[in-house]
Amino acid sequence: MKISYNWIRKFTNFRITPNELCSLLISIGFETSIVSNKRSWTNIVSAKIIDISKHPNANKLFLCKVTDGNKEYSVICGAKNIAIGQIVPFAKIGATLKDIKVKKNKIRGLDSNGIICSAEELELEVSSKGILILNTDTNLGEPLENIFDKNDTIFEIEVMTNRGDCLSHLGIAREISAKLQKKIFLPALKVFSVPRVIQSSITIEVKSDLCLRYIGSFITDVKIKTSPNWLMCALQKNGLKSINNVVDITNYVMLELGQPLHVFDASKLCSNKIIIRNAIDNEKIFALDDKEYILDTEMLVTSDLQKPIAISGIIGGKYSSVDNKTTTVFIESGIFDANSIRKTSKKLHLSTDSSYRFERKLDWNMSKFAMLRAISLIIDIAGGNLKILKDIKNIKYKKTQIILEIDKIFKVLGYTIEIDEIKKILIFLGIDIQLKGNIFFCTVPSWRNDIKFDVDLIEEIVRIKGYDTVPYVKNNKYSTYIVNNAFIPTIIEKLRIKLSELGFSEVLNYTFVEIRDLEKFDLKYYYKILNPVSKENEVLRPSLLLGLYKNLLLNIGHGSETVTLFEYGKIFNKFGERKAFAMIMYGRVWQEWCFWTEKKIDSVYDFYFGCGVVRKILQLSNKFIITKNSSIKKYFRSEQTAAITYNGKNVGQFGILNPFIIDKMKYDIFYFEILTNEIEENYTEEIVFYKTYSKFPIVKRDISIVADKTLKFEKIESIFKNIVDTNNILKTYSLFSIYILNKSKLCYSFRLSYGSNSKTLTDKEVTEDMNMLLKKLDKELKVKLRK
Amino acid sequence: MDIVNINELIGNIELFVNKICGKIKKSDIKELRILKTKCFGKNGIITNFSKSLPQYNVSDRKKFGLQLNKAKKILEDAIVKRIEKSKSVYRDSEPHHEKLSYSKDFCFPFPKGSLHPIIQTIQDIIAIFKSLGFAVVDGPELETDWYNFEALNIPEDHPSRDVQDTFYLNENGIKKLLRTHTSPGQIHIMEKQLPPIKIIVPGRVYRNETSDASHSSIFYQIEGLEISENITFMDLKAVLVEFINRFFMSELNLRFRPSYFQFTEPSAEVDIQCNFCKGKGCKICKNLGWMEVLGCGMVHPNVLKSVNYDFQKYIGYAFGIGVERITMLKHNINDIRLFYENDLRFLKQF
């Protein structure tokens, strides 16, 4: 909301600069910034018309002479309302009007050295006929922005949703005066008499509970004209355009006092009866914004006997609008149900300055005062006679009363504020107080609909006193409490560290995915958003695969040779909301690297390297077991996948992505995903018990054995394992090479470590033990030493 | 052989020794090796002299041999001494000989991994609050209207629901929504236990809005809540000042300013002085000199009522931190969308 510095100073007397005022407003809860007035004209000045003659070559054009006090200019002008002696806005060569530069121009053979402007050209009015005529006491040569702004400062203020009372200059002035402890001055009202009701005049009937109060007035003999400069200027500064004097006045009163008003041309109504009622289903209204709205029974309308003339509190109808021929007007000032206005505005996708204020609840008393203010201004500016003023109260209004204990203030804030100070703050906020013992009996003013409880008053006290004055003690009581379900995702933190050390990057993807993409990977969705941002964000991800796969493509596209990513987050599958952890790997394990010894180090993330990473991270718990994948997801290549169990329960799968599904790539893509709910809940660190190790040297032997391709590696391994478990000198074995000998045979190379806890082993002892192993392999599996 | 010859020879040896000793003093390891060979090698001068010994008479032999041994010892000592001395020089100069570089790119390029900046921020925040005695709790992202709005004193027709445009879905015919803030976490905990409570709830939240440089339909929040019988507004301020100073690792200028949230009263927002311009006003803080980092307040009695707490007895505060926002402030990131693009050129910087 835009607020003018000069305008608020009419309500309260303060002597602080706009910058100080800006900080003051922020300190009491209004996010405020100073906006430079965007409508700053250049090279447009006030000038006097000193001569008018007919254009020799055109019937409808005039040749005018104007002066800015220093120099005379000859201008061609086509407006009918020009006259000698008028002071007008004059755009010199080089000025900009509606984004068009004013240039020296020849019109029908004569030079025109500028433009005499209309209000429309100056963007002051929506549409205007003829030139804008300035007040006769305007100095010549005065830049237009000075005439219209008078060194004003405009603030942009964000008003909290519960402070509907602050959506006006008066409202903001009230806040400032509360902080500065100054008095508020309301605008003076004209004294006028309301004549007795005439028989044939308009009657008003309120037929709906959604209208809480309705004030209507009827003014005859008004003259619709262009608004005076000051009024036009006030609206312009607040971002509104001038329409005509009467409509401008209602808008002015809204900006001034916060009460939206609406004015109708009474002669255009079909009846003398105004009814405020709920709309009928499918009732239509063609509104001032040139759109037709279809209404329903939950919406409130102002209507004559035939049809609605306004959607109450939101927008008026086009056909009853005030125009240049209007002489009799009907003005409404209401208090409508805030929720109903909000719902209607939402349903119709129509938010107006008026609905914005009604939604935030208005001041019960202000509706009357604003009406009187508007009538005063109309009689002043547009003339006319007030014929009727009716005030219908549909409910009995009661001011809110709150009991505030002084002890409670201390309990909430933690420190004491002097009672006298509290009193002063409350009084300047307009709150009536009576102090009895330790209790304040407070009556909240009609504009503060947001104050309902004692804590609201406590907030007011500390807000006005200043949040920055709240003392705080460093290192106060930092006690620890135990929360029943508190847990720390330690295993996830460990995974993060392990993987980032291995060169993986953590990513975070949107929870939303596109159905089309899911189908590609044969994934089903279980949750569809009813109001998605877009089709690409329609369903909740049932797996982390899509996001990671997209990230992979993006980074390969940007030239990455290696992409290793992981993500931890929520997925939404048939069991509901679940936590998941996933990794994707692609490309070289590290960039190609040749040492000067010309040893080449190179490897890619194929199935075996990927498995190595999996093995590395699964070391976190011995409850993890890699097993045969018995329900292979379609996106895995069926011969290169495995499953993972935790505590015997299946938690996920990994493997190479199916090349028939994914885009064409240079290397395989390795993917791993597990659900972590169970793991996180049951994860405990396993305690390690120390085992003594041998103090004697270790003997290493490498052997290569030849086995049938069909023979499972697990069987070979079990023999090694068996010996390690039972034998006292074979300590460890490790596979370091697998080599394809021919179509039917594979060659495995193992490194064996022998040692004894009691002595240094002899060559003979080691050889004997190794022979025993080889014999066993040969006997049980027909696996022989490679010769 | 006459005596002159012997004396001449001895003189030659002395000359040779002096000459070699002079060379030794200037030699490096390689050159020493050559000199050593020149003296004591198979065809070394000293070796050859020794070989020639038998051809002299006994007295000459004795005289010459003595001299030779003396020369041998002088040379050997000189070489040993030089080696010792040059060893330190050798150690330093060896890499130079091998043309080594100290550039980090000269070593094997193990790949660099990274944790997501958002996650790093969350970890930092968790660490700070844990040290202040807070427990970490998790809450669901799929919520009901009750937890996300009603219980937090946000009735259905309240205008502030406009601000939090919500994603709705159906779960087995039940209307659900994606939480718009982490505040439902408060309700879950309070429903389960009585005070004292001192928790933080980090997590992902959702808003139905179009993404731009400063808005994202998905972002992270950290909710904080402390409830007991004697928590005050002062305590809230103390905890938050402590947190902000620790998080930004400096004593920043802070501003507490009144604000409005349904679930707190009094409510406040906390601004920090802009890190980049030190309050003078710059592009990043939109010329305000201040940047908003979190919202907070004293828990509204209606919230305590909704979980059947005795709202006369218990009191507490709550706060909510926007993780993206303070991560952006800390690392000078100007577009929130960077966090969810997952470009390695961005991620690997952290």
Side-chain angles (χ1 to χ4, degrees), chain A residues 230-250:
Chain A
W230 68 266
L231 180 53
M232 208 182 264
C233 161
L235 296 185
Q236 176 260 332
K237 278 195 283 200
N238 287 274
L240 294 183
K241 283 185 178 176
S242 171
I243 293 161
N244 59 48
N245 53 1
V246 173
V247 173
D248 286 0
I249 286 166
T250 57

PDB file of all heavy atoms in Angstrom, chain A residues 230-250:
ATOM      1  N   TRP A 230      -5.762  19.021  -6.721  1.00  0.00           N
ATOM      2  CA  TRP A 230      -5.289  18.400  -5.476  1.00  0.00           C
ATOM      3  C   TRP A 230      -5.819  16.978  -5.316  1.00  0.00           C
ATOM      4  O   TRP A 230      -5.135  16.077  -4.831  1.00  0.00           O
ATOM      5  CB  TRP A 230      -5.647  19.260  -4.249  1.00  0.00           C
ATOM      6  CG  TRP A 230      -7.142  19.341  -3.949  1.00  0.00           C
ATOM      7  CD1 TRP A 230      -7.999  20.300  -4.359  1.00  0.00           C
ATOM      8  CD2 TRP A 230      -7.922  18.403  -3.181  1.00  0.00           C
ATOM      9  NE1 TRP A 230      -9.275  20.049  -3.921  1.00  0.00           N
ATOM     10  CE2 TRP A 230      -9.250  18.890  -3.190  1.00  0.00           C
ATOM     11  CE3 TRP A 230      -7.640  17.221  -2.506  1.00  0.00           C
ATOM     12  CZ2 TRP A 230     -10.297  18.227  -2.535  1.00  0.00           C
ATOM     13  CZ3 TRP A 230      -8.687  16.563  -1.860  1.00  0.00           C
ATOM     14  CH2 TRP A 230     -10.003  17.072  -1.888  1.00  0.00           C
ATOM     15  N   LEU A 231      -7.057  16.785  -5.770  1.00  0.00           N
ATOM     16  CA  LEU A 231      -7.689  15.467  -5.618  1.00  0.00           C
ATOM     17  C   LEU A 231      -7.055  14.474  -6.601  1.00  0.00           C
ATOM     18  O   LEU A 231      -6.694  13.348  -6.252  1.00  0.00           O
ATOM     19  CB  LEU A 231      -9.191  15.597  -5.879  1.00  0.00           C
ATOM     20  CG  LEU A 231     -10.043  14.334  -5.776  1.00  0.00           C
ATOM     21  CD1 LEU A 231      -9.838  13.626  -4.449  1.00  0.00           C
ATOM     22  CD2 LEU A 231     -11.521  14.678  -5.957  1.00  0.00           C
ATOM     23  N   MET A 232      -6.890  14.985  -7.834  1.00  0.00           N
ATOM     24  CA  MET A 232      -6.268  14.167  -8.861  1.00  0.00           C
ATOM     25  C   MET A 232      -4.855  13.748  -8.412  1.00  0.00           C
ATOM     26  O   MET A 232      -4.434  12.606  -8.556  1.00  0.00           O
ATOM     27  CB  MET A 232      -6.152  15.041 -10.112  1.00  0.00           C
ATOM     28  CG  MET A 232      -6.170  14.286 -11.400  1.00  0.00           C
ATOM     29  SD  MET A 232      -5.957  15.473 -12.725  1.00  0.00           S
ATOM     30  CE  MET A 232      -7.623  15.762 -13.204  1.00  0.00           C
ATOM     31  N   CYS A 233      -4.174  14.730  -7.843  1.00  0.00           N
ATOM     32  CA  CYS A 233      -2.812  14.523  -7.391  1.00  0.00           C
ATOM     33  C   CYS A 233      -2.740  13.497  -6.251  1.00  0.00           C
ATOM     34  O   CYS A 233      -1.892  12.608  -6.243  1.00  0.00           O
ATOM     35  CB  CYS A 233      -2.278  15.892  -6.956  1.00  0.00           C
ATOM     36  SG  CYS A 233      -0.879  15.847  -5.905  1.00  0.00           S
ATOM     37  N   ALA A 234      -3.691  13.598  -5.311  1.00  0.00           N
ATOM     38  CA  ALA A 234      -3.697  12.672  -4.168  1.00  0.00           C
ATOM     39  C   ALA A 234      -3.886  11.239  -4.653  1.00  0.00           C
ATOM     40  O   ALA A 234      -3.223  10.317  -4.172  1.00  0.00           O
ATOM     41  CB  ALA A 234      -4.806  13.061  -3.195  1.00  0.00           C
ATOM     42  N   LEU A 235      -4.787  11.054  -5.619  1.00  0.00           N
ATOM     43  CA  LEU A 235      -5.037   9.703  -6.129  1.00  0.00           C
ATOM     44  C   LEU A 235      -3.822   9.189  -6.885  1.00  0.00           C
ATOM     45  O   LEU A 235      -3.409   8.044  -6.734  1.00  0.00           O
ATOM     46  CB  LEU A 235      -6.252   9.697  -7.052  1.00  0.00           C
ATOM     47  CG  LEU A 235      -7.599  10.050  -6.421  1.00  0.00           C
ATOM     48  CD1 LEU A 235      -8.701   9.877  -7.450  1.00  0.00           C
ATOM     49  CD2 LEU A 235      -7.892   9.182  -5.202  1.00  0.00           C
ATOM     50  N   GLN A 236      -3.269  10.094  -7.699  1.00  0.00           N
ATOM     51  CA  GLN A 236      -2.140   9.709  -8.539  1.00  0.00           C
ATOM     52  C   GLN A 236      -0.970   9.218  -7.692  1.00  0.00           C
ATOM     53  O   GLN A 236      -0.321   8.221  -8.003  1.00  0.00           O
ATOM     54  CB  GLN A 236      -1.750  10.898  -9.415  1.00  0.00           C
ATOM     55  CG  GLN A 236      -0.519  10.698 -10.281  1.00  0.00           C
ATOM     56  CD  GLN A 236       0.716  11.331  -9.678  1.00  0.00           C
ATOM     57  OE1 GLN A 236       0.620  12.301  -8.944  1.00  0.00           O
ATOM     58  NE2 GLN A 236       1.848  10.764  -9.982  1.00  0.00           N
ATOM     59  N   LYS A 237      -0.730   9.918  -6.588  1.00  0.00           N
ATOM     60  CA  LYS A 237       0.388   9.533  -5.717  1.00  0.00           C
ATOM     61  C   LYS A 237       0.175   8.162  -5.092  1.00  0.00           C
ATOM     62  O   LYS A 237       1.111   7.474  -4.719  1.00  0.00           O
ATOM     63  CB  LYS A 237       0.549  10.575  -4.612  1.00  0.00           C
ATOM     64  CG  LYS A 237       1.333  11.784  -5.100  1.00  0.00           C
ATOM     65  CD  LYS A 237       1.799  12.620  -3.957  1.00  0.00           C
ATOM     66  CE  LYS A 237       0.668  13.457  -3.408  1.00  0.00           C
ATOM     67  NZ  LYS A 237       1.174  14.603  -2.623  1.00  0.00           N
ATOM     68  N   ASN A 238      -1.086   7.771  -4.973  1.00  0.00           N
ATOM     69  CA  ASN A 238      -1.384   6.481  -4.372  1.00  0.00           C
ATOM     70  C   ASN A 238      -1.666   5.419  -5.421  1.00  0.00           C
ATOM     71  O   ASN A 238      -2.191   4.358  -5.118  1.00  0.00           O
ATOM     72  CB  ASN A 238      -2.558   6.618  -3.418  1.00  0.00           C
ATOM     73  CG  ASN A 238      -2.131   7.335  -2.160  1.00  0.00           C
ATOM     74  OD1 ASN A 238      -1.644   6.729  -1.233  1.00  0.00           O
ATOM     75  ND2 ASN A 238      -2.260   8.654  -2.165  1.00  0.00           N
ATOM     76  N   GLY A 239      -1.338   5.768  -6.645  1.00  0.00           N
ATOM     77  CA  GLY A 239      -1.431   4.769  -7.703  1.00  0.00           C
ATOM     78  C   GLY A 239      -2.809   4.626  -8.314  1.00  0.00           C
ATOM     79  O   GLY A 239      -3.066   3.667  -9.027  1.00  0.00           O
ATOM     80  N   LEU A 240      -3.722   5.553  -8.028  1.00  0.00           N
ATOM     81  CA  LEU A 240      -5.057   5.468  -8.635  1.00  0.00           C
ATOM     82  C   LEU A 240      -5.193   6.556  -9.692  1.00  0.00           C
ATOM     83  O   LEU A 240      -4.597   7.613  -9.593  1.00  0.00           O
ATOM     84  CB  LEU A 240      -6.150   5.665  -7.571  1.00  0.00           C
ATOM     85  CG  LEU A 240      -6.287   4.597  -6.498  1.00  0.00           C
ATOM     86  CD1 LEU A 240      -7.459   4.914  -5.598  1.00  0.00           C
ATOM     87  CD2 LEU A 240      -6.470   3.222  -7.111  1.00  0.00           C
ATOM     88  N   LYS A 241      -6.049   6.275 -10.696  1.00  0.00           N
ATOM     89  CA  LYS A 241      -6.262   7.273 -11.738  1.00  0.00           C
ATOM     90  C   LYS A 241      -7.591   7.981 -11.499  1.00  0.00           C
ATOM     91  O   LYS A 241      -8.530   7.407 -10.964  1.00  0.00           O
ATOM     92  CB  LYS A 241      -6.246   6.594 -13.112  1.00  0.00           C
ATOM     93  CG  LYS A 241      -4.826   6.291 -13.537  1.00  0.00           C
ATOM     94  CD  LYS A 241      -4.749   5.732 -14.914  1.00  0.00           C
ATOM     95  CE  LYS A 241      -3.285   5.514 -15.286  1.00  0.00           C
ATOM     96  NZ  LYS A 241      -3.154   4.882 -16.588  1.00  0.00           N
ATOM     97  N   SER A 242      -7.611   9.196 -11.954  1.00  0.00           N
ATOM     98  CA  SER A 242      -8.807  10.000 -11.759  1.00  0.00           C
ATOM     99  C   SER A 242      -9.878   9.581 -12.762  1.00  0.00           C
ATOM    100  O   SER A 242      -9.583   9.281 -13.918  1.00  0.00           O
ATOM    101  CB  SER A 242      -8.427  11.471 -11.942  1.00  0.00           C
ATOM    102  OG  SER A 242      -9.573  12.256 -11.972  1.00  0.00           O
ATOM    103  N   ILE A 243     -11.152   9.577 -12.320  1.00  0.00           N
ATOM    104  CA  ILE A 243     -12.249   9.231 -13.224  1.00  0.00           C
ATOM    105  C   ILE A 243     -13.183  10.433 -13.352  1.00  0.00           C
ATOM    106  O   ILE A 243     -13.341  10.987 -14.413  1.00  0.00           O
ATOM    107  CB  ILE A 243     -12.981   7.957 -12.752  1.00  0.00           C
ATOM    108  CG1 ILE A 243     -12.023   6.764 -12.897  1.00  0.00           C
ATOM    109  CG2 ILE A 243     -14.244   7.703 -13.595  1.00  0.00           C
ATOM    110  CD1 ILE A 243     -12.367   5.572 -12.099  1.00  0.00           C
ATOM    111  N   ASN A 244     -13.797  10.831 -12.253  1.00  0.00           N
ATOM    112  CA  ASN A 244     -14.514  12.106 -12.204  1.00  0.00           C
ATOM    113  C   ASN A 244     -14.611  12.518 -10.742  1.00  0.00           C
ATOM    114  O   ASN A 244     -14.246  11.749  -9.847  1.00  0.00           O
ATOM    115  CB  ASN A 244     -15.887  12.008 -12.880  1.00  0.00           C
ATOM    116  CG  ASN A 244     -16.755  10.952 -12.215  1.00  0.00           C
ATOM    117  OD1 ASN A 244     -16.877  10.916 -10.990  1.00  0.00           O
ATOM    118  ND2 ASN A 244     -17.340  10.077 -13.028  1.00  0.00           N
ATOM    119  N   ASN A 245     -15.087  13.723 -10.495  1.00  0.00           N
ATOM    120  CA  ASN A 245     -15.005  14.249  -9.131  1.00  0.00           C
ATOM    121  C   ASN A 245     -15.679  13.353  -8.084  1.00  0.00           C
ATOM    122  O   ASN A 245     -15.096  13.070  -7.040  1.00  0.00           O
ATOM    123  CB  ASN A 245     -15.504  15.702  -9.074  1.00  0.00           C
ATOM    124  CG  ASN A 245     -16.891  15.866  -9.687  1.00  0.00           C
ATOM    125  OD1 ASN A 245     -17.486  14.883 -10.146  1.00  0.00           O
ATOM    126  ND2 ASN A 245     -17.402  17.078  -9.706  1.00  0.00           N
ATOM    127  N   VAL A 246     -16.891  12.847  -8.369  1.00  0.00           N
ATOM    128  CA  VAL A 246     -17.606  12.084  -7.344  1.00  0.00           C
ATOM    129  C   VAL A 246     -16.948  10.731  -7.086  1.00  0.00           C
ATOM    130  O   VAL A 246     -16.724  10.341  -5.924  1.00  0.00           O
ATOM    131  CB  VAL A 246     -19.097  11.924  -7.738  1.00  0.00           C
ATOM    132  CG1 VAL A 246     -19.807  10.999  -6.771  1.00  0.00           C
ATOM    133  CG2 VAL A 246     -19.782  13.281  -7.770  1.00  0.00           C
ATOM    134  N   VAL A 247     -16.599  10.038  -8.163  1.00  0.00           N
ATOM    135  CA  VAL A 247     -15.942   8.736  -7.981  1.00  0.00           C
ATOM    136  C   VAL A 247     -14.595   8.929  -7.281  1.00  0.00           C
ATOM    137  O   VAL A 247     -14.224   8.173  -6.383  1.00  0.00           O
ATOM    138  CB  VAL A 247     -15.766   8.013  -9.334  1.00  0.00           C
ATOM    139  CG1 VAL A 247     -14.941   6.740  -9.163  1.00  0.00           C
ATOM    140  CG2 VAL A 247     -17.118   7.683  -9.934  1.00  0.00           C
ATOM    141  N   ASP A 248     -13.885   9.984  -7.690  1.00  0.00           N
ATOM    142  CA  ASP A 248     -12.588  10.257  -7.065  1.00  0.00           C
ATOM    143  C   ASP A 248     -12.739  10.499  -5.563  1.00  0.00           C
ATOM    144  O   ASP A 248     -11.894  10.076  -4.778  1.00  0.00           O
ATOM    145  CB  ASP A 248     -11.924  11.480  -7.712  1.00  0.00           C
ATOM    146  CG  ASP A 248     -11.383  11.147  -9.110  1.00  0.00           C
ATOM    147  OD1 ASP A 248     -11.544   9.980  -9.529  1.00  0.00           O
ATOM    148  OD2 ASP A 248     -10.816  12.038  -9.758  1.00  0.00           O
ATOM    149  N   ILE A 249     -13.798  11.179  -5.180  1.00  0.00           N
ATOM    150  CA  ILE A 249     -13.999  11.459  -3.750  1.00  0.00           C
ATOM    151  C   ILE A 249     -14.172  10.151  -2.969  1.00  0.00           C
ATOM    152  O   ILE A 249     -13.577   9.965  -1.914  1.00  0.00           O
ATOM    153  CB  ILE A 249     -15.210  12.405  -3.539  1.00  0.00           C
ATOM    154  CG1 ILE A 249     -14.810  13.813  -3.974  1.00  0.00           C
ATOM    155  CG2 ILE A 249     -15.665  12.404  -2.075  1.00  0.00           C
ATOM    156  CD1 ILE A 249     -15.970  14.761  -4.149  1.00  0.00           C
ATOM    157  N   THR A 250     -14.965   9.219  -3.525  1.00  0.00           N
ATOM    158  CA  THR A 250     -15.150   7.965  -2.790  1.00  0.00           C
ATOM    159  C   THR A 250     -13.822   7.220  -2.662  1.00  0.00           C
ATOM    160  O   THR A 250     -13.520   6.645  -1.613  1.00  0.00           O
ATOM    161  CB  THR A 250     -16.197   7.050  -3.469  1.00  0.00           C
ATOM    162  OG1 THR A 250     -15.774   6.823  -4.808  1.00  0.00           O
ATOM    163  CG2 THR A 250     -17.565   7.673  -3.474  1.00  0.00           C
TER     164      THR A 250
END
